[in-house]
Amino acid sequence: MSTTASTPPAGAAAQVIRPRGPGAFRRFSRHRLAALSLVLILSLTLACIIVPPLLPFSDTEIDIMQRFASPFTGPHLLGTDPLGRDTLARLLMAGRISLSVGFSAMAISMVIGIAVGLYAGFYGGRIGAILMRFVDAMLCFPSIFLLLAISAFLQPSVGSIIMLIAATSWMEVARLVEAQIRALRARDFAVAARAIGASDRRVMFRELLPNAVAPIVVAATLNVAHAILAESYISFLGYGIQPPTPSWGNMLENAQSYLTSAPWLAIIPGAAITLAVTGFNFIGDGLRDALDPRQEAR
Amino acid sequence: MSGYVVRRLGQSLVLLLMVSMIGFAILHLAPGGPLSQFAAGGDMTQEDLDRIAVQLGLDRPLPLQYVEWLWRMLQGDWGRSYRDQQPVLHIIGSHIGATLELMLTSTLVAMMIGAWVGILGAIRRYSIFDSLATIGAMVALSIPTFWFGLVVIYVFSVGLEWLPAGNRYTIGDESLLDRLHHLIGPCMVLALVSTAVWSRYMRSSMLDVINQDYIRTARSKGLPERRILLNHAVRNALLPMITITGLHLPALLSGALVTETVFTWPGMGRLFLDSISYRDYPVVMGILVFTSVMVLAGSLIADLLYSIADPRMGAPG
């Protein structure tokens, strides 16, 4: 496969020629966006943790008299759903689930991806080649098809959904780490470390991995965004987090039937997903610029 | 060149083999494996199940079962649907048209809009337009496709009543115009992500080309800027997009599944989802393998086309 991900090093020259002017505005705005996103994600996370107990309504409290209350009109700030449950309370409780699924799935997929990439990049050989072909083969399956096919066999729970998303999203990380390690391994410092008799494990974890940390951190951030999206997709389609446990995806599950009468049921959770995913993507992009200045983000 | 083609074909065959193994593994991962459909009925005793297992050859060693399964797949026998006993390939064949129609049109839309956004962004690098396009692409990549679909339906079907809220055509009226009318909404939704992808890669590819020697040569010859950009730069910058189109295929298929669900579009994605809810494993597995083969073929074709379009690519592989 030809390398399409490589970015033009030529861009750096053009950047130096125009240190001020519109370019500065753009870079500034980029990092401003990343910083803004960080604030957004932190406040969103904090709100999901702190606010629900403070609300006058719980996310499970059914109030038939208050069905389909519109947002910003009554005691329910963001309105209510077909069972009269408070949308804001549900949104925040769903945020707890969706964000923890995002972070946990990311953590597990990073562990798998780094382990596979590290092994294949360091030892190479037949097993390394087989591992990387396996990565290629896994990437041939469109992710939603794979997620849904496996989820059909699972007893859906928060834990199994996390494992499922992690199991289908480690491949890009493995590819990235493998390429990094393979390149770093030939560098002088790694050769020197081996020459003074450092063990394989020491070279891998103390010498090579720390030098590949920048792209890994970027990939991890983008991976959270990916995991939140994946959860929302399969929950929306009915095979993810099961009600009554709310998640941003399953709050939208029945929203389509009420699109005419209660559009906020569809708008609000979707906006939350978009906000969170955009946030993580911008942070990842900002990190890429900050951690690796040579690589101008596309 | 021919060495590259042979090598690339060999790689694809190896991948195809591994893809089939993963598909087979998932099939047997199901609790109860392929037998679960019978066990789900509840009125079967263990003896009955054992007898069926022997009849279907499920008591034999897994590698043997795999080889037999693969052999049947290669001969076009992909099993029969539990729902209506139709051959799986036949069912996929009757749904693939709608999906391809959606994927092709939205790719065309994405190419036209995305390429221009990317080209303009590269030419006026760091302009306000470029910044907005970059931010816009990032947001577009973050919007869940199904939610964008709901928003489109809410705005254009419920609110403005310009577009139908779903289906491929009005029953009784299957004219081209009616079909196009139904296509606009889903096409717009599916094209969103592709447009973002196209604009970003096109921008980066264009920047790559603009800094090449032959562009400087063209400039120093005194050619008009417009001609340099259109004739020299864009044509070369478009080449890598062949590969991008191939690489984007898995995401496009995933997007199609979601779009089809929201717009009740009778394609392969909705068939897949329906089959899952009916536990119709042969169809589920058939589509899973089918889509991965599509992706494999897509990237192979893209790479071969690229090596034809850009002979420099052949040698290193």
Side-chain angles (χ1 to χ4, degrees):
Chain A
M1 199 150 300
S2 47
T3 51
T4 47
S6 68
T7 37
Q15 219 163 310
V16 178
I17 300 167
R18 300 195 294 175
R20 300 186 64 202
F25 161 75
R26 180 174 161 283
R27 285 202 304 279
F28 181 60
S29 73
R30 277 182 89 88
H31 289 278
R32 265 288 272 273
L33 273 170
L36 208 72
S37 302
L38 192 64
V39 174
L40 174 97
I41 295 294
L42 285 179
S43 28
L44 197 64
T45 314
L46 276 178
C48 290
I49 297 170
I50 299 171
V51 176
L54 306 175
L55 288 176
F57 307 99
S58 100
D59 64 303
T60 48
E61 193 180 306
I62 295 173
D63 182 358
I64 291 299
M65 304 303 290
Q66 288 288 330
R67 299 176 71 209
F68 295 117
S70 308
F72 311 119
T73 48
H76 297 276
L77 193 61
L78 291 181
T80 58
D81 71 357
L83 295 172
R85 293 176 297 189
D86 185 60
T87 309
L88 180 61
R90 274 173 63 71
L91 190 73
L92 292 172
M93 291 307 279
R96 286 186 180 183
I97 301 288
S98 292
L99 289 173
S100 23
V101 169
F103 278 110
S104 325
M106 176 275 282
I108 299 172
S109 73
M110 291 310 285
V111 170
I112 306 175
I114 291 174
V116 171
L118 201 53
Y119 186 93
F122 189 79
Y123 291 110
R126 193 170 292 168
I127 299 181
I130 291 177
L131 279 175
M132 293 324 284
R133 290 294 82 73
F134 180 66
V135 167
D136 293 344
M138 284 290 284
L139 283 171
C140 283
F141 293 96
S143 57
I144 302 217
F145 286 84
L146 196 57
L147 280 169
L148 287 173
I150 304 178
S151 70
F153 305 143
L154 291 177
Q155 211 54 258
S157 71
V158 177
S160 68
I161 298 300
I162 291 173
M163 294 309 291
L164 179 60
I165 294 175
T168 52
S169 59
W170 56 271
M171 292 86 75
E172 305 272 9
V173 183
R175 239 185 211 177
L176 173 96
V177 174
E178 193 260 353
Q180 289 278 331
I181 297 297
R182 190 153 39 84
L184 287 172
R185 185 176 169 237
R187 295 264 291 271
D188 288 344
F189 70 92
V191 177
R194 238 173 308 163
I196 59 166
S199 66
D200 283 357
R201 187 186 295 188
R202 195 189 153 86
V203 176
M204 273 198 269
F205 289 98
R206 285 295 182 74
E207 306 288 342
L208 299 181
L209 206 53
N211 277 290
V213 111
I216 291 177
V217 168
V218 174
T221 318
L222 300 178
N223 221 322
V224 179
H226 169 86
I228 294 177
L229 265 186
E231 183 277 320
S232 80
Y233 279 114
I234 51 173
S235 295
F236 169 74
L237 295 170
Y239 294 92
I241 310 291
Q242 297 299 312
T245 310
S247 87
W248 286 334
N250 75 20
M251 282 180 76
L252 280 156
E253 201 183 333
N254 296 315
Q256 192 166 3
S257 358
Y258 303 113
L259 211 49
T260 336
S261 53
W264 64 90
L265 290 177
I267 308 282
I268 293 170
I273 301 170
T274 307
L275 221 56
V277 174
T278 316
F280 281 110
N281 276 335
F282 274 128
I283 296 173
D285 215 38
L287 281 175
R288 186 180 2 231
D289 283 0
L291 294 175
D292 190 359
R294 279 164 309 165
Q295 181 162 357
E296 213 268 345
R298 287 184 305 271
Chain B
M1 175 74 197
S2 63
Y4 170 74
V5 173
V6 170
R7 206 162 54 238
R8 193 66 188 73
L9 278 173
Q11 278 174 8
S12 299
L13 269 180
V14 172
L15 269 185
L16 188 64
L17 212 61
M18 295 201 75
V19 162
S20 73
M21 282 179 196
I22 297 173
F24 185 74
I26 294 175
L27 182 67
H28 282 261
L29 202 85
L35 267 185
S36 55
Q37 49 157 323
F38 303 107
D43 50 356
M44 293 259 183
T45 63
Q46 190 57 44
E47 277 164 38
D48 293 335
L49 287 176
D50 289 346
R51 208 173 54 241
I52 295 173
V54 173
Q55 274 174 6
L56 294 176
L58 294 172
D59 56 334
R60 279 173 298 167
L62 271 183
L64 197 67
Q65 285 189 45
Y66 167 71
V67 172
E68 281 189 352
W69 175 79
L70 189 66
W71 182 238
R72 283 201 306 271
M73 296 284 279
L74 287 176
Q75 288 173 317
D77 174 14
W78 288 35
R80 282 170 184 277
S81 159
Y82 294 160
R83 268 196 286 175
D84 48 13
Q85 295 302 314
Q86 291 220 52
V88 169
L89 265 186
H90 179 80
I91 301 179
I92 294 177
S94 62
H95 286 78
I96 188 75
T99 302
L100 286 180
E101 178 185 321
L102 192 57
M103 281 169 53
L104 281 176
T105 47
S106 67
T107 303
L108 280 178
V109 170
M111 269 181 195
M112 285 189 284
I113 302 174
W116 277 113
V117 172
I119 292 168
L120 285 179
I123 295 175
R124 310 224 172 98
R125 200 181 184 200
Y126 302 148
S127 64
I128 304 236
F129 172 81
D130 186 27
S131 307
L132 287 180
T134 307
I135 296 171
M138 194 63 115
V139 174
L141 286 173
S142 307
I143 295 179
T145 304
F146 61 89
W147 184 63
F148 185 54
L150 294 182
V151 171
V152 165
I153 292 178
Y154 180 62
V155 173
F156 292 102
S157 307
V158 178
L160 297 169
E161 293 185 7
W162 286 355
L163 298 176
N167 294 322
R168 202 177 171 194
Y169 45 77
T170 318
I171 293 168
D173 176 12
E174 294 180 25
S175 62
L176 184 66
L177 210 64
D178 182 60
R179 279 167 175 265
L180 283 178
H181 192 210
H182 281 78
L183 189 59
I184 297 172
C187 176
M188 192 154 68
V189 170
L190 187 55
L192 181 77
V193 171
S194 314
T195 310
V197 169
W198 260 78
S199 73
R200 300 195 84 193
Y201 280 103
M202 190 68 206
R203 176 177 179 275
S204 136
S205 166
M206 191 71 186
L207 284 175
D208 235 357
V209 170
I210 283 179
N211 287 297
Q212 297 280 331
D213 287 344
Y214 58 84
I215 298 294
R216 203 179 318 141
T217 310
R219 278 221 178 94
S220 61
K221 278 200 303 185
L223 288 181
E225 187 69 17
R226 202 184 157 72
R227 190 143 155 238
I228 296 173
L229 290 174
L230 289 182
N231 281 17
H232 294 70
V234 170
R235 280 175 64 174
N236 280 294
L238 275 171
L239 288 181
M241 301 311 289
I242 300 173
T243 317
I244 300 301
T245 311
L247 286 181
H248 184 56
L249 201 56
L252 191 64
L253 277 162
S254 289
L257 183 148
V258 178
T259 311
E260 286 172 10
T261 312
V262 174
F263 284 92
T264 54
W265 190 262
M268 200 172 59
R270 253 194 69 208
L271 169 71
F272 185 73
L273 208 64
D274 284 348
S275 306
I276 285 183
S277 65
Y278 280 102
R279 310 255 144 185
D280 194 349
Y281 293 142
V283 179
V284 171
M285 285 307 133
I287 295 179
L288 192 65
V289 172
F290 188 84
T291 50
S292 59
V293 170
M294 256 176 97
V295 170
L296 207 56
S299 86
L300 176 67
I301 292 169
D303 279 4
L304 294 183
L305 278 180
Y306 190 43
S307 74
I308 294 170
D310 188 349
R312 287 171 302 181
M313 269 317 287

